[in-house]
Amino acid sequence: MLPVFAQRTPDWASAEAELLRHYQALVQIDTSDPPGHEAPAVEYLKKVLEAEGIPVKVYSTDPKRPNLLVRFKGSGAKKPLLIMAHTDTVNVDPAKWKHPPFGAVREGGYIYGRGTVDDKDNLAAGLMVMLLLKRMNVPLDRDVIFLAEAGEEGAVQYGIRYMVENHWSELDAEFCLAEGGGTQRRAGQYWTTNIGTAEKIPFGLRLTAKGTAGHGSVPLTDNPVVALSGAMARIGAWRTPMRLNDTTRTYFEKLASISSPEARTRYNGIFDSARAEAVQDWLQKNEPRHYSMLRTSISPNMIRGGIRVNSIPSSAEATLDVRLAPTENREEFLAELTKVINDPRVTIEPARRHSRPPSPPSSLKTDAYRVLESNALKHYNVKAVLPAMGTGATDMAFLRERGMQCYGIGPAIDVEDGPLGFGAHSDQERILEAELYKFLRFHWDAVLGIAAR
C-alpha cells in the first residue's frame, strides 16, 4: 500500500523525457572497466544534482574512480533506504558492434549501447528518483541514500569494498535496492518478475601442476599437462551437492505453480528425493541456469602450459570459475575439491585477490519485499513474483554480509534477447525504451512505498 502522498504523481511525460536525456548521456560516457575511469560519469551526476540544489559527497581512493553519494533526510522513524547503482561497465570490442557501443542509438524501439542494461538503467532511474523526491518535497520516514559506485565489474577495491570499509556510516541502511532483478517478457508478454534476494559468490581458483621438463620425444610419467587434464576431467564429472535456501526453494515452488503440467512435475521433483537426481540430469542439459541455482558451480574456463610442441613443460595451469552457493562453507568445499582431484601434484590457490564475501539471502518477509512484490504485480501484471538467486554476482554481497536486506530490481527484458546476443555484456547490448520508462514508475512507487511518510 502506497502512502497518502502517492496520490500526487509526477508529470510522467516530462520525467520520461528527462530520464532519456540523462540515460543517453550516461551511456555515451565510456566507463569501461578495465581500464576503469568513472570520473566523467560522476562529474555528470554531480552537475545534474547540484543544479537542483542537492548536496553531493564524493569519496575515492583513486581520483579516476570516485563514488558519489547523496542523502535526503527523513523523520528518523525508520532506518534508511539505500539506492545503489554502478557507473562502470565491462569493456567492448567496437569492431563487433553494429551501433557505436557508446552511442546510445535509438532504433526500432530499442536503445543500444554498453551499459544499457548493466547498469546505467538503474543508475539513470536512481538519479531521476532522487530528482523527483527533491522537486516534489516528499516527506520521508527514512533517509533515502543514493550511491553511484565504481568498480563493480571487477575492481571492488575502488567502489563498494572501499565504501564499506571506510564510510560504512554513510551507507548503513535497513534496505537496499540495486541491480540483480527484473521482469521477464516471453514473446512480448510479461511472464514473471524476479526480485534478487540472494546471489552466488565468485570464488576463482587456480590449479597448478608441476613436473619434470624435458624433450617431447621422451614422454615422462609426471607430465603436468596430463596431471592437470585428469584433474579437469574429474572436476567436470563432479556433481556438487544440491543446496536449497529460502530463496531458491520459494522460487522453484512458485515457478512450478505457473508452469505447464510437465514442467510443474519436473520442478516439484527437485524436492522429491526419489526423483531429484533425474530432474537434475535434465536441468543440467536443458536448463543450465536453473541447475546452477541449485548448487555451487564449477566451470574450468582457462588452461595453459608449455612453450612449444616438442618440449614437455615443467608446469601447467588452469583457472576455475567457482560460484559458491550462499550456504557453502569455503574451507569444506576446498577440502572436498582436493579429494575429487585426488592428485598431490595439483595445487589449489585463489585466483583473484579482490573477491566478494559470502553473504546470506535477504528475507522474503520484510516490508520492502512486500512493497516490491505488490508493485511488480501492479505495473507488470505478471504471472508470479519470484525471489531469485543470481548465478552471477553483485556488490550487494558486501551489504548483505553486514546484515542489510538487499533486493535486486531492474527493467523488463525479453528472455529471447540473451541467446540472440542482445543481453548484458553482449556485443549488441540493448534495452526496450518503453521498459526504461516503465521501470522508472516502478522504481518511484517502490521507493515511496518503502520510505515515504
Side-chain angles (χ1 to χ4, degrees):
M1 184 176 181
L2 289 176
V4 173
F5 176 84
Q7 294 174 10
R8 291 172 53 194
T9 58
D11 176 351
W12 286 119
S14 175
E16 289 169 1
E18 184 178 0
L19 172 64
L20 176 62
R21 186 168 71 252
H22 295 317
Y23 178 72
Q24 286 187 291
L26 289 165
V27 172
Q28 288 165 355
I29 299 172
D30 182 353
T31 53
S32 300
D33 181 9
H37 188 200
E38 296 92 337
V42 168
E43 282 302 314
Y44 180 88
L45 295 169
K46 186 172 184 287
K47 182 178 179 180
V48 170
L49 290 161
E50 290 183 339
E52 300 279 337
I54 299 172
V56 171
K57 294 182 179 180
V58 176
Y59 300 98
S60 70
T61 185
D62 180 339
K64 291 182 178 181
R65 313 207 66 176
N67 305 277
L68 177 144
L69 187 136
V70 170
R71 179 186 292 262
F72 291 157
K73 296 294 291 184
S75 69
K78 300 176 181 178
K79 284 192 66 177
L81 167 67
L82 172 65
I83 301 169
M84 183 170 73
H86 61 89
T87 51
D88 63 327
T89 70
V90 295
N91 46 2
V92 302
D93 180 352
K96 295 181 179 179
W97 285 71
K98 174 184 177 183
H99 302 288
F102 303 106
V105 173
R106 300 164 73 194
E107 180 180 277
Y110 293 91
I111 304 173
Y112 290 83
R114 173 60 80 227
T116 47
V117 292
D118 185 15
D119 182 35
K120 291 181 177 176
D121 49 348
N122 272 283
L123 184 65
L127 170 65
M128 278 305 305
V129 165
M130 299 303 284
L131 294 174
L132 292 172
L133 288 174
K134 173 66 163 56
R135 292 168 186 170
M136 300 182 71
N137 194 28
V138 178
L140 301 169
D141 270 345
R142 304 178 187 271
D143 290 8
V144 176
I145 307 163
F146 174 56
L147 175 65
E149 44 134 2
E152 192 275 343
E153 296 290 0
V156 294
Q157 67 272 25
Y158 298 108
I160 193 64
R161 183 186 292 277
Y162 166 74
M163 292 297 295
V164 165
E165 292 179 353
N166 296 277
H167 302 286
W168 176 248
S169 62
E170 295 278 18
L171 305 181
D172 192 10
E174 183 174 8
F175 302 122
C176 172
L177 304 180
E179 65 175 341
T183 295
Q184 285 69 52
R185 301 192 341 161
R186 290 185 176 182
Q189 301 297 311
Y190 296 124
W191 176 244
T192 62
T193 294
N194 288 357
I195 299 172
T197 56
E199 62 188 76
K200 299 172 78 173
I201 305 301
F203 186 41
L205 295 175
R206 180 183 299 108
L207 305 189
T208 303
K210 295 186 181 299
T212 305
H215 198 287
S217 65
V218 183
L220 301 174
T221 57
D222 67 345
N223 186 315
V225 174
V226 175
L228 196 62
S229 298
M232 293 295 98
R234 288 187 286 276
I235 290 169
W238 180 32
R239 173 169 287 169
T240 57
M242 184 166 65
R243 300 192 185 279
L244 289 167
N245 55 56
D246 195 28
T247 288
T248 51
R249 186 177 292 105
T250 304
Y251 174 90
F252 284 107
E253 288 173 348
K254 296 186 76 170
L255 183 61
S257 72
I258 62 169
S259 297
S260 67
E262 181 182 3
R264 182 182 303 121
T265 299
R266 183 179 305 119
Y267 295 135
N268 284 332
I270 292 170
F271 310 103
D272 182 346
S273 59
R275 293 188 292 144
E277 284 299 314
V279 169
Q280 291 181 78
D281 288 341
W282 191 94
L283 292 176
Q284 186 175 23
K285 181 178 180 180
N286 298 282
E287 295 181 7
R289 181 176 296 273
H290 280 154
Y291 180 80
S292 182
M293 286 174 64
L294 293 170
R295 59 185 20 85
T296 290
S297 59
I298 309 172
S299 181
N301 291 346
M302 294 190 293
I303 187 167
R304 62 183 181 183
I307 57 173
R308 55 185 298 149
V309 68
N310 63 350
S311 296
I312 300 171
S314 60
S315 66
E317 182 180 291
T319 57
L320 307 180
D321 184 2
V322 179
R323 304 291 171 132
L324 295 171
T327 56
E328 187 81 67
N329 179 284
R330 290 191 187 201
E331 287 70 29
E332 292 177 2
F333 169 79
L334 285 172
E336 192 62 30
L337 179 63
T338 300
K339 292 179 182 178
V340 169
I341 292 173
N342 192 31
D343 190 335
R345 295 173 297 173
V346 178
T347 60
I348 308 171
E349 61 181 349
R352 292 180 60 184
R353 178 185 173 195
H354 298 288
S355 61
R356 290 176 170 86
S359 59
S362 296
S363 173
L364 311 185
K365 299 177 181 179
T366 65
D367 291 340
Y369 186 85
R370 285 188 286 269
V371 167
L372 294 171
E373 188 174 39
S374 64
N375 275 289
L377 294 170
K378 169 188 171 183
H379 287 276
Y380 297 103
N381 192 29
V382 288
K383 299 282 187 182
V385 180
L386 308 177
M389 183 174 78
T391 54
T394 76
D395 282 349
M396 289 186 288
F398 290 90
L399 306 177
R400 289 193 178 109
E401 183 192 31
R402 296 254 181 153
M404 195 181 301
Q405 301 299 299
C406 300
Y407 301 101
I409 60 174
I413 59 171
D414 291 322
V415 296
E416 299 88 355
D417 262 11
L420 293 174
F422 296 113
H425 295 204
S426 71
D427 294 328
Q428 309 299 331
E429 187 177 345
R430 71 183 186 183
I431 192 172
L432 279 159
E433 185 173 326
E435 295 303 336
L436 178 66
Y437 303 144
K438 181 168 281 193
F439 177 55
L440 174 61
R441 298 191 188 209
F442 167 85
H443 203 313
W444 171 254
D445 280 352
V447 170
L448 288 189
I450 297 169
R453 190 177 307 168

